[in-house]
Amino acid sequence: MSAEWLRTHQLEFLKALLFIIKDIQPDISVVTVEEATEAFHHIIKTCKMEAMTDKDYLDDSNFNSVIRMLSTELSAPNASVRTLAQNALTTIAADLDRSVQSLIEPMKDVILTPILARPFRDVAHTSQPGYLDALAFCINQRPLFVPFGPETMDILKAALAIADKDESITQEKMLSQKNLNLLTSLKIASINLLSSALATDHFSEQAEFRNRVVGTFFKNLTTRNKETVEMARKGLTQQKNWPKELLQSSLRPILLNLADPKKLSVPLLHGLAKLLELLTSSFNVTLGEKLLDHLKWADPTYLPRNPSAPTPTKPSWKDGDDTKIAAGIIDIFHLLPPAASKFLEQLVMITMQLEILLPKENGTPYRIPLVRFLNRYKTESIDYFYSRLTQPAYSKMFRYLLRETEADALRAEIVSDVPKFVATTFRANNPQSQFELQFQGLLITNILVKFDPVWLSNPQNKIVLDSLVEMWQSPGRTARLLNDDNLPLPQLRESKLIAKCLLNYCSNNHSEVNILFSLLSVFTVRTTMDYSFLVDFYQITVVETYTPPEKRQILVKFLEIYKDAEISVDVKVQILQVFIIPFLTSIFAREEHTLVLDPKLTAQIITDVFESSEGKLVDEMLSIETLQLASLLIKNPTPGLLEHRKDLIKFAWGFLKSDDLATKQHAYLMVSRFVEVFETPPKIVLQVYNALIKTHQVEAKALVKTALDVLVPKLNDRLKGIHDWIKWTKKIIVEEGYSMVQLIHILQLIHRHYTLFYPARGQFVPHMVNSLARIGLVSSAVAENKKLSLDLADVIIQWEKKYNTEKTPEGDAMEVDSKKEGEDDMEVDSKPKSSDNYKMNLQTQELIVSFLIRMASSNVDTTDDKAAMGHPHAAALAAAGRVSFRDH
């Protein structure tokens, strides 16, 4: 719709939206009221009119109707409607480049007549806040157009009486919540009106009325309602040049209540704080002494002036208010005159004592008030805590305070004088407490880094970084890490905190790789602390945030460390295991290897790691990690790797005869990777395959399985056919099939690669069928073996289906001829049978179906999910087998 059409119907839309806002209570449908309010503002802004002369807008009937409607709503009972009308008039005035006064002065009678026409006491209570707000809004406009006649003064006097009403009297009447809210709104509107009236020149000479209003403002500073307190404070901020007598008379009730512990309350203390914000110079520092008298029961150093005086006891404050009152008292001190710095020690000690009385340490209500005081006297506060860092209670409190969000000034004071901080902590000249001071410095540094992550990266703070590196490299830290069972709980975190600080520096300075590698030494020690954050940094953060040149720098540094004979083998193992191998794996996965690993760097890795280590690695763990690195490089060939393939196979070959089973199998896995990628002599391929199918030890199962899964798919290519490797596989079954572990090892291989064994299935089907019952039906069979037996039956059926699909008349004739020759299936043939000349006989088919039926009807161990799942699978296979065998 066009703005012109909307402007023509603006009044109807605005009235409809106001009706919605008046009719629906916000607590019933907040969304509806918000949407109506937003639509109201949108119409006002869309229908804005250009600046025009007085005659033009006076002649515009639609415009005048909107202004009249908004002026009428200034005194609406609904507070949301009043605010909406005020904001709309302000927006229209800004669009016309006029004052609000010029818009509503012609409507003066519309606004003021209902307000001034009758005594205020005769106005309904629900309408009174609206009348007061409308009158205050008009008085705030300049030039002033509201007459201060008898009617206006009567309303101001009524507002003064309402604002001066004691809060306790209202509460004693046991009013409903609705009526209490109405009275609170009426008091806020009254204070607002009085504040607006006192801002005019009319009351500059009426000292008596003015003083009464100011006294009421002071009184309302100590009420419980926050809006009332804020409105009273706003009224006081508009006043200047306070007469001494007025201040004394206004403050006397508050100070008298402060002198009596029983009359202390949270609103009273909050009001006092507002007063101190306005009138700091009017108070004496002795007020702090009086306030501390109320907390002397919590001060362990308090000595009464009169030795015969009784021991101070906790005042009988209302339950639940004692903590708030104590915190409120502490919160006053940062508002006192500068001489209040003398209360530093007392406040700290009282706060520590008060926290002891609480059931928890974290998040006590006393810390933020104390932080505000310490922020004001930050230099004295830092010196105070620096001198007490060796005392656990003070050092713990200092750290708690520094962690507070509002402690910016305290943290800034430490940061502003780093040499002083380092001299006090990391490099303190105190041999007896050297470690404790260093540890406190570490804790403080950790806090500073959390609030400013780039703080350590500042060159001016290099002395702190150097101190952290010295702590990390110190023999004392290593000794404590080795003996962490006897350390206090806080000191257990020493290495973890140093690592976090140094990691913070590395995350902002990617060129720093020395620290990055030095942190890995922590994994060489068994400890109770969790260092998974380090692993995440190495394997996630470095991979995702470092650039290819920076990653290349990491690899260059690794080669430098690997060649260094002074670095322990354990550290090298952890570097490979935790960092380099996962790091390179991620680089290959992200396809960044062409940017990181050029031929020169690849050749350097081959030379420095594999050629230099050939025959020299005596540590089994380092051998395994180095073999894994070689396997990774072969699996993901990099530029220039082909030229060094002889060096790689030579490196791995030396470990194939290792006495350590894990090292040997990692070597076989590496050679299998090599065969997968590079052309390899058939003799070597066959030798590796033969060794792997003979290795059936349980501890080597996973590595052998992986190696075979890598090697077997490449056997036909590398051996130019299936003859040799099929022959050796059959030979193992025939000669060593009596061993259940060896038999299962071979059968699992056939199952995983059944498509490769299909051309030679005639060599294995009889053995597989004869093994089914032996594997799956014996009483001692485990779930894994039962599943394998079903998988083998499935493989045989799938092979038969494939054969039946591919068979031809010529193939059938070949089968008959072969049977006539009387070839024995159990014999190790010189040439394996192809898929065209083997078909299961009826007896074999019956054995398979019989086995599956027995499996489907056997007892089920309901506690074993795998075994329970095998029974419906066996039944399904039996049905599929019978169909397949019957059709052919």
Side-chain angles (χ1 to χ4, degrees), residues 284-316:
N284 194 290
V285 75
T286 55
L287 175 62
E289 297 176 357
K290 296 180 179 179
L291 290 172
L292 281 178
D293 285 342
H294 297 311
L295 296 177
K296 58 190 177 183
W297 55 272
D299 185 358
T301 64
Y302 175 77
L303 295 175
R305 298 181 180 88
N306 184 2
S308 60
T311 303
T313 57
K314 180 180 177 180
S316 56

Side-chain angles (χ1 to χ4, degrees), residues 477-489 491-493 495 525-531:
R477 183 198 65 82
T478 306
R480 288 188 291 273
L481 190 63
L482 291 169
N483 193 32
D484 63 352
D485 292 342
N486 300 323
L487 285 178
L489 184 60
Q491 294 180 11
L492 281 173
R493 301 168 57 227
S495 296
V525 180
R526 290 184 177 273
T527 177
T528 56
M529 298 304 295
D530 178 19
Y531 289 96

Side-chain angles (χ1 to χ4, degrees), residues 54-66:
D54 293 342
K55 185 177 183 305
D56 290 337
Y57 84 79
L58 287 174
D59 292 341
D60 191 329
S61 59
N62 184 61
F63 176 78
N64 284 322
S65 297
V66 172

Side-chain angles (χ1 to χ4, degrees), residues 495-497 499-500 503 530-538:
S495 296
K496 186 173 183 177
L497 290 173
K500 285 191 172 183
L503 268 193
D530 178 19
Y531 289 96
S532 59
F533 67 94
L534 267 175
V535 178
D536 292 340
F537 186 86
Y538 289 124

Side-chain angles (χ1 to χ4, degrees), residues 553-572:
Q553 186 182 4
I554 289 174
L555 292 176
V556 172
K557 182 61 181 179
F558 157 68
L559 295 176
E560 179 184 329
I561 293 174
Y562 193 87
K563 291 188 298 182
D564 191 345
E566 295 183 359
I567 296 178
S568 69
V569 171
D570 291 339
V571 172
K572 293 179 181 179

Side-chain angles (χ1 to χ4, degrees), residues 172-205:
E172 288 175 0
K173 293 183 178 180
M174 302 297 290
L175 299 175
S176 65
Q177 186 63 43
K178 181 178 180 180
N179 289 333
L180 282 175
N181 292 340
L182 178 61
L183 290 176
T184 301
S185 301
L186 187 58
K187 175 174 279 195
I188 293 172
S190 300
I191 297 173
N192 182 36
L193 174 61
L194 294 171
S195 176
S196 300
L198 257 62
T200 65
D201 296 334
H202 182 77
F203 293 96
S204 59
E205 303 298 330

Side-chain angles (χ1 to χ4, degrees), residues 539 572-582 621 625:
Q539 299 181 7
K572 293 179 181 179
V573 169
Q574 296 304 322
I575 290 175
L576 283 165
Q577 187 179 86
V578 177
F579 191 7
I580 296 300
I581 293 178
M621 288 303 299
E625 297 302 327

Side-chain angles (χ1 to χ4, degrees), residues 638-653:
T638 57
L641 189 67
L642 181 62
E643 301 173 3
H644 301 278
R645 61 187 186 279
K646 291 184 179 180
D647 298 320
L648 289 171
I649 193 65
K650 188 177 179 182
F651 170 77
W653 206 259

